Amino acid sequence: MSWHSVFSIIGCPLGLLYIFNIVLSHKRRKDLKGKIVLITGANSGLGKACVATFHQAGCRVIMAGRNHEELNKVREEVIKKQLPDTFSPEILIMDLMDYKNMQEYVSKGLKIFGQIDILINNAGVSYRGEISDTQICVDEKVMAVNYFGQIALVKEVLPHMKQQGGGSIVGVSSVQGKIAIPYRSAYAASKHAFQAFFDTLRAEVSSDNIHVCVVSPGYIQTNLSQNAVCGDGSTYNKMDSTTATGMEPGLVAQRIRQAVEFRENDIVLAPFLHKLVMCIRTLCPSIFFLIMCYRAKSGKKQHSKCK
Ligand SMILES: NC(=O)c1ccc[n+]([C@@H]2O[C@H](COP(=O)([O-])OP(=O)(O)OC[C@H]3O[C@@H](n4cnc5c(N)ncnc54)[C@H](OP(=O)(O)O)[C@@H]3O)[C@@H](O)[C@H]2O)c1
Ligand SMILES: *[C@@H]1O[C@H](CO)[C@@H](O)[C@H](O)[C@H]1NC(C)=O
């Protein structure tokens, strides 16, 4: 068989699938003016950028987070700009580790503007370490914030969205929700679980006019690596060069806004190389595993230890 025919056998169906995907995902633009948006992790990084972006789009923003002082600083920065036709954001204290009390947090959130139209599950914690020296309580913490807290929030908001006739739920995952890399076990596992939950959710609520989108960014310039938890439970406290040279949080926030406006289902915001690796993971897993083994060996000193 010639290369030409191999390409047409593989290429044609892939090309058709690609076109089908574009046709299926094409939706009409929704107006965001006046919509009520709840954003978690609103005090820093991507969450903070989302507050500014949705505020500028004319949304009524509920900023959820743990630290009132930090949230208020962001709130004041946003109000200072005094843009026409915008609403002052409001603050909602919410600790995702305390997800057993989610009902209380959400009922407070609903009282602020009366409902929630758009939920942006953005808060998250990263992790650094090797599986063999990571305490199970660290895995539990990462799962609590990145998975259980997120799904508890979705479960509490969902009945209200159904009752009001629709809404949008955005989950901020990561490229590591699609591929798992060495020395990030807890983080990658939490984001994989997150993706799976949202994929199920998307299907289940599609008849309720509720739009679900998973956003999987590559590196973003935030404090995520500094705030990462290490295998022994300490804080990593270092800015990784990958994070420092990542995407601008503002650009990612704009893309999230677009995903809500156009009701997109699943977006990956990453360089071509990351997308290629995702493809290899699906189509030729053995090659992916080889690359990861190499990466684990070459990056052992650099990535596995916190101190
Ligand atoms: N930066 C990247 O390279 C990157 C890449 C892919 C995906 N992401 C994802 O983007 C999202 C935002 O992260 P970021 O990059 O903006 O990092 P960040 O600046 O560290 O922000 C993380 C946010 O999550 C909040 N948070 C942590 N634990 C919490 C808890 N128990 N309860 C409530 N909130 C909690 C933090 O609040 P406190 O300040 O109170 O801790 C903070 O607001 C995360 O889901 C992350 O996984 C980031
Ligand atoms: C990172 O943390 C510092 C100190 O807490 C804060 O001043 C800064 O705004 C944070 N950066 C981002 C992008 O959130």
Side-chain angles (χ1 to χ4, degrees), residues 55 84 94 110 121 170 211:
H55 169 77
M94 179 188 292
L110 283 163
N121 284 62
V170 176
H211 152 243

Side-chain angles (χ1 to χ4, degrees), residues 11-22:
C12 286
L14 284 183
L16 278 177
L17 277 176
Y18 184 73
I19 292 165
F20 267 140
N21 191 42
I22 291 175

Side-chain angles (χ1 to χ4, degrees), residues 207-247:
S207 54
D208 298 303
N209 189 32
I210 297 172
H211 152 243
V212 174
C213 181
V214 175
V215 179
S216 304
Y219 297 109
I220 315 168
Q221 289 168 32
T222 68
N223 289 339
L224 189 75
S225 74
Q226 262 146 299
N227 297 334
V229 58
C230 295
D232 61 1
S234 62
T235 305
Y236 185 59
N237 253 327
K238 274 181 272 186
M239 174 63 96
D240 280 346
S241 59
T242 44
T243 312
T245 56
M247 291 175 280

Side-chain angles (χ1 to χ4, degrees), residues 45-47 49-50 53 220-222 246-254:
L46 179 57
C50 284
T53 299
I220 315 168
Q221 289 168 32
T222 68
M247 291 175 280
E248 282 265 349
L251 285 181
V252 179
Q254 288 295 348

Side-chain angles (χ1 to χ4, degrees), residues 73-92:
K73 255 207 285 191
V74 175
R75 181 174 180 268
E76 271 163 13
E77 265 176 55
V78 164
I79 304 175
K80 224 169 43 195
K81 297 206 171 119
Q82 290 190 319
L83 296 170
D85 300 325
T86 56
F87 303 88
S88 303
E90 294 293 332
I91 291 171
L92 174 67

Side-chain angles (χ1 to χ4, degrees), residues 146-182:
N146 293 1
Y147 183 68
F148 289 110
Q150 313 287 342
I151 73 165
L153 176 56
V154 168
K155 281 166 193 267
E156 281 305 326
V157 171
L158 209 50
H160 301 281
M161 277 194 179
K162 285 189 181 184
Q163 208 181 16
Q164 79 206 22
S168 239
I169 302 177
V170 176
V172 178
S173 179
S174 164
V175 164
Q176 293 183 52
K178 309 267 187 191
I179 50 172
I181 63 174

